[in-house]
Amino acid sequence: MDESPADHGRDGAPWAGTRRWVVTLAAAAFTVSVAATFVTLALATSGKRSPMIDLQIYRWAGLLAVHSRDLYGGYFPHHHLPFTYPPMAALVFAIMAAIPMSVLRWLVTVTGISCLIATLWLTWGMLGYRRSARAGATLAAAGVTLWLQPVLQTLWLGQINLILMLVIVADLCLPDSARFKGAGVGLAAGFKLVPLIFIPYLLLTRRFRAAGVS
């Protein structure tokens, strides 16, 4: 009889005797990867090669919102870049205006990495992995994905993509009977318009209530 991936996370599975070592190795690899990521970001920031321009624009838009200024009529100083996010995003970014950039930079980085880990944890869970198998798979995958271009660019520019990814995945992982399934997709779309693509997805998969909630 064939084994499913979920079987490898249960007691009595073929690799149960070595699962602790697998998780330990995955945790060690993830720790090294995170440390290298932080060192890389620190060097890039100190060298002015990666000023986290998107994060600066978020904070600038927050200041405009706090002082009731026009969000879409001007450009971010010295870079000639406009604010292109929905108005709701600026209201949340207003909170960033009270946080020094030196602190905000690392806060957003840590939050982004945490959201990546949480997204992978949810994903492996939906695939049927449990217990040690799920923990090991999450840590190992996180250590690798930290160095993929979309993730690395998100961290370098100080973007919120990883946060929105977690909100959407957590929402879609809810059972179809959940009353507020779809709210996460709608919330993410309030920050960035790209998540709106998940509303047609919900319609095509006949999750009509979730699409309506979105």
Side-chain angles (χ1 to χ4, degrees), residues 93-118:
F93 293 155
I95 300 174
M96 295 182 176
I99 304 176
M101 190 63 191
S102 58
V103 175
L104 190 60
R105 178 182 296 116
W106 296 110
L107 180 62
V108 169
T109 301
V110 171
T111 301
I113 294 175
S114 300
C115 289
L116 174 64
I117 296 171

mmCIF file of all heavy atoms in Angstrom, residues 93-118:
data_model
loop_
_atom_site.group_PDB
_atom_site.id
_atom_site.type_symbol
_atom_site.label_atom_id
_atom_site.label_comp_id
_atom_site.label_asym_id
_atom_site.label_seq_id
_atom_site.Cartn_x
_atom_site.Cartn_y
_atom_site.Cartn_z
ATOM 1 N N PHE A 93 -0.522 52.829 7.335
ATOM 2 C CA PHE A 93 0.849 53.324 7.271
ATOM 3 C C PHE A 93 1.055 54.531 8.179
ATOM 4 O O PHE A 93 2.187 54.861 8.534
ATOM 5 C CB PHE A 93 1.207 53.704 5.829
ATOM 6 C CG PHE A 93 1.273 52.541 4.883
ATOM 7 C CD1 PHE A 93 1.062 52.722 3.515
ATOM 8 C CD2 PHE A 93 1.526 51.258 5.344
ATOM 9 C CE1 PHE A 93 1.124 51.651 2.642
ATOM 10 C CE2 PHE A 93 1.584 50.175 4.473
ATOM 11 C CZ PHE A 93 1.381 50.370 3.119
ATOM 12 N N ALA A 94 -0.034 55.192 8.545
ATOM 13 C CA ALA A 94 0.086 56.331 9.457
ATOM 14 C C ALA A 94 0.696 55.910 10.788
ATOM 15 O O ALA A 94 1.361 56.712 11.459
ATOM 16 C CB ALA A 94 -1.284 56.970 9.677
ATOM 17 N N ILE A 95 0.474 54.644 11.167
ATOM 18 C CA ILE A 95 1.073 54.143 12.401
ATOM 19 C C ILE A 95 2.594 54.124 12.276
ATOM 20 O O ILE A 95 3.322 54.385 13.235
ATOM 21 C CB ILE A 95 0.541 52.728 12.706
ATOM 22 C CG1 ILE A 95 -0.976 52.765 12.864
ATOM 23 C CG2 ILE A 95 1.196 52.152 13.951
ATOM 24 C CD1 ILE A 95 -1.606 51.398 13.026
ATOM 25 N N MET A 96 3.078 53.827 11.059
ATOM 26 C CA MET A 96 4.523 53.782 10.829
ATOM 27 C C MET A 96 5.174 55.146 11.010
ATOM 28 O O MET A 96 6.361 55.238 11.314
ATOM 29 C CB MET A 96 4.814 53.281 9.418
ATOM 30 C CG MET A 96 4.409 51.852 9.154
ATOM 31 S SD MET A 96 4.859 51.365 7.462
ATOM 32 C CE MET A 96 4.379 49.625 7.471
ATOM 33 N N ALA A 97 4.399 56.203 10.809
ATOM 34 C CA ALA A 97 4.957 57.553 10.893
ATOM 35 C C ALA A 97 5.495 57.854 12.283
ATOM 36 O O ALA A 97 6.363 58.723 12.441
ATOM 37 C CB ALA A 97 3.903 58.579 10.499
ATOM 38 N N ALA A 98 4.981 57.148 13.281
ATOM 39 C CA ALA A 98 5.431 57.393 14.658
ATOM 40 C C ALA A 98 6.639 56.555 15.046
ATOM 41 O O ALA A 98 7.151 56.686 16.162
ATOM 42 C CB ALA A 98 4.275 57.109 15.621
ATOM 43 N N ILE A 99 7.103 55.695 14.141
ATOM 44 C CA ILE A 99 8.212 54.792 14.443
ATOM 45 C C ILE A 99 9.444 55.246 13.676
ATOM 46 O O ILE A 99 9.380 55.463 12.463
ATOM 47 C CB ILE A 99 7.865 53.336 14.052
ATOM 48 C CG1 ILE A 99 6.573 52.907 14.747
ATOM 49 C CG2 ILE A 99 9.006 52.388 14.398
ATOM 50 C CD1 ILE A 99 6.097 51.516 14.332
ATOM 51 N N PRO A 100 10.586 55.385 14.344
ATOM 52 C CA PRO A 100 11.816 55.782 13.644
ATOM 53 C C PRO A 100 12.170 54.779 12.549
ATOM 54 O O PRO A 100 11.970 53.576 12.713
ATOM 55 C CB PRO A 100 12.872 55.776 14.759
ATOM 56 C CG PRO A 100 12.093 55.929 16.028
ATOM 57 C CD PRO A 100 10.789 55.238 15.800
ATOM 58 N N MET A 101 12.706 55.270 11.452
ATOM 59 C CA MET A 101 13.034 54.409 10.325
ATOM 60 C C MET A 101 14.030 53.324 10.715
ATOM 61 O O MET A 101 13.956 52.188 10.219
ATOM 62 C CB MET A 101 13.592 55.261 9.185
ATOM 63 C CG MET A 101 13.754 54.522 7.877
ATOM 64 S SD MET A 101 12.172 53.938 7.197
ATOM 65 C CE MET A 101 12.771 52.871 5.885
ATOM 66 N N SER A 102 14.968 53.648 11.582
ATOM 67 C CA SER A 102 15.970 52.662 11.998
ATOM 68 C C SER A 102 15.337 51.474 12.710
ATOM 69 O O SER A 102 15.813 50.335 12.592
ATOM 70 C CB SER A 102 17.007 53.323 12.915
ATOM 71 O OG SER A 102 16.362 53.886 14.063
ATOM 72 N N VAL A 103 14.259 51.716 13.438
ATOM 73 C CA VAL A 103 13.535 50.645 14.121
ATOM 74 C C VAL A 103 12.567 49.964 13.164
ATOM 75 O O VAL A 103 12.445 48.737 13.142
ATOM 76 C CB VAL A 103 12.766 51.199 15.345
ATOM 77 C CG1 VAL A 103 11.919 50.108 15.997
ATOM 78 C CG2 VAL A 103 13.741 51.795 16.356
ATOM 79 N N LEU A 104 11.898 50.762 12.369
ATOM 80 C CA LEU A 104 10.891 50.243 11.441
ATOM 81 C C LEU A 104 11.502 49.271 10.441
ATOM 82 O O LEU A 104 10.894 48.259 10.082
ATOM 83 C CB LEU A 104 10.236 51.414 10.712
ATOM 84 C CG LEU A 104 8.992 51.112 9.880
ATOM 85 C CD1 LEU A 104 7.883 50.542 10.746
ATOM 86 C CD2 LEU A 104 8.519 52.384 9.177
ATOM 87 N N ARG A 105 12.723 49.551 10.020
ATOM 88 C CA ARG A 105 13.397 48.704 9.029
ATOM 89 C C ARG A 105 13.511 47.268 9.523
ATOM 90 O O ARG A 105 13.191 46.320 8.806
ATOM 91 C CB ARG A 105 14.779 49.280 8.739
ATOM 92 C CG ARG A 105 15.608 48.471 7.758
ATOM 93 C CD ARG A 105 16.976 49.085 7.565
ATOM 94 N NE ARG A 105 16.890 50.397 6.960
ATOM 95 C CZ ARG A 105 17.270 51.521 7.548
ATOM 96 N NH1 ARG A 105 17.738 51.487 8.783
ATOM 97 N NH2 ARG A 105 17.168 52.667 6.929
ATOM 98 N N TRP A 106 13.934 47.096 10.767
ATOM 99 C CA TRP A 106 14.116 45.742 11.295
ATOM 100 C C TRP A 106 12.795 45.125 11.740
ATOM 101 O O TRP A 106 12.618 43.913 11.672
ATOM 102 C CB TRP A 106 15.122 45.765 12.451
ATOM 103 C CG TRP A 106 16.468 46.188 11.969
ATOM 104 C CD1 TRP A 106 17.114 47.360 12.229
ATOM 105 C CD2 TRP A 106 17.330 45.458 11.087
ATOM 106 N NE1 TRP A 106 18.308 47.410 11.580
ATOM 107 C CE2 TRP A 106 18.480 46.254 10.879
ATOM 108 C CE3 TRP A 106 17.237 44.221 10.452
ATOM 109 C CZ2 TRP A 106 19.520 45.834 10.058
ATOM 110 C CZ3 TRP A 106 18.274 43.805 9.640
ATOM 111 C CH2 TRP A 106 19.399 44.604 9.447
ATOM 112 N N LEU A 107 11.880 45.958 12.160
ATOM 113 C CA LEU A 107 10.558 45.452 12.542
ATOM 114 C C LEU A 107 9.855 44.828 11.344
ATOM 115 O O LEU A 107 9.275 43.732 11.441
ATOM 116 C CB LEU A 107 9.717 46.599 13.120
ATOM 117 C CG LEU A 107 8.296 46.242 13.569
ATOM 118 C CD1 LEU A 107 8.327 45.223 14.690
ATOM 119 C CD2 LEU A 107 7.555 47.501 14.026
ATOM 120 N N VAL A 108 9.913 45.503 10.202
ATOM 121 C CA VAL A 108 9.279 44.982 8.992
ATOM 122 C C VAL A 108 9.992 43.728 8.498
ATOM 123 O O VAL A 108 9.354 42.778 8.023
ATOM 124 C CB VAL A 108 9.269 46.071 7.897
ATOM 125 C CG1 VAL A 108 8.871 45.489 6.541
ATOM 126 C CG2 VAL A 108 8.312 47.189 8.282
ATOM 127 N N THR A 109 11.312 43.685 8.630
ATOM 128 C CA THR A 109 12.069 42.507 8.199
ATOM 129 C C THR A 109 11.709 41.288 9.031
ATOM 130 O O THR A 109 11.447 40.199 8.487
ATOM 131 C CB THR A 109 13.575 42.776 8.296
ATOM 132 O OG1 THR A 109 13.923 43.893 7.468
ATOM 133 C CG2 THR A 109 14.365 41.555 7.841
ATOM 134 N N VAL A 110 11.705 41.445 10.346
ATOM 135 C CA VAL A 110 11.359 40.327 11.232
ATOM 136 C C VAL A 110 9.925 39.873 10.996
ATOM 137 O O VAL A 110 9.629 38.670 10.959
ATOM 138 C CB VAL A 110 11.567 40.731 12.709
ATOM 139 C CG1 VAL A 110 11.007 39.665 13.643
ATOM 140 C CG2 VAL A 110 13.050 40.942 12.993
ATOM 141 N N THR A 111 9.020 40.838 10.820
ATOM 142 C CA THR A 111 7.616 40.496 10.557
ATOM 143 C C THR A 111 7.481 39.736 9.241
ATOM 144 O O THR A 111 6.739 38.748 9.158
ATOM 145 C CB THR A 111 6.756 41.768 10.512
ATOM 146 O OG1 THR A 111 6.868 42.457 11.763
ATOM 147 C CG2 THR A 111 5.291 41.418 10.261
ATOM 148 N N GLY A 112 8.198 40.166 8.217
ATOM 149 C CA GLY A 112 8.123 39.503 6.921
ATOM 150 C C GLY A 112 8.606 38.064 6.990
ATOM 151 O O GLY A 112 7.965 37.151 6.449
ATOM 152 N N ILE A 113 9.732 37.838 7.659
ATOM 153 C CA ILE A 113 10.256 36.471 7.798
ATOM 154 C C ILE A 113 9.301 35.611 8.614
ATOM 155 O O ILE A 113 9.065 34.438 8.289
ATOM 156 C CB ILE A 113 11.654 36.507 8.441
ATOM 157 C CG1 ILE A 113 12.655 37.191 7.494
ATOM 158 C CG2 ILE A 113 12.133 35.093 8.779
ATOM 159 C CD1 ILE A 113 14.032 37.381 8.084
ATOM 160 N N SER A 114 8.730 36.172 9.660
ATOM 161 C CA SER A 114 7.761 35.430 10.471
ATOM 162 C C SER A 114 6.536 35.037 9.655
ATOM 163 O O SER A 114 6.010 33.932 9.797
ATOM 164 C CB SER A 114 7.339 36.276 11.679
ATOM 165 O OG SER A 114 8.453 36.594 12.493
ATOM 166 N N CYS A 115 6.084 35.946 8.796
ATOM 167 C CA CYS A 115 4.932 35.646 7.940
ATOM 168 C C CYS A 115 5.261 34.565 6.927
ATOM 169 O O CYS A 115 4.400 33.729 6.594
ATOM 170 C CB CYS A 115 4.469 36.914 7.233
ATOM 171 S SG CYS A 115 3.662 38.111 8.316
ATOM 172 N N LEU A 116 6.492 34.551 6.429
ATOM 173 C CA LEU A 116 6.917 33.499 5.510
ATOM 174 C C LEU A 116 6.850 32.140 6.191
ATOM 175 O O LEU A 116 6.332 31.165 5.628
ATOM 176 C CB LEU A 116 8.338 33.779 5.024
ATOM 177 C CG LEU A 116 8.977 32.691 4.156
ATOM 178 C CD1 LEU A 116 8.209 32.529 2.851
ATOM 179 C CD2 LEU A 116 10.449 33.014 3.891
ATOM 180 N N ILE A 117 7.354 32.065 7.417
ATOM 181 C CA ILE A 117 7.330 30.807 8.175
ATOM 182 C C ILE A 117 5.893 30.367 8.420
ATOM 183 O O ILE A 117 5.538 29.188 8.231
ATOM 184 C CB ILE A 117 8.069 30.986 9.513
ATOM 185 C CG1 ILE A 117 9.549 31.284 9.261
ATOM 186 C CG2 ILE A 117 7.927 29.730 10.385
ATOM 187 C CD1 ILE A 117 10.295 31.692 10.516
ATOM 188 N N ALA A 118 5.044 31.289 8.842
ATOM 189 C CA ALA A 118 3.652 30.951 9.128
ATOM 190 C C ALA A 118 2.924 30.476 7.872
ATOM 191 O O ALA A 118 2.113 29.544 7.931
ATOM 192 C CB ALA A 118 2.937 32.164 9.728
#
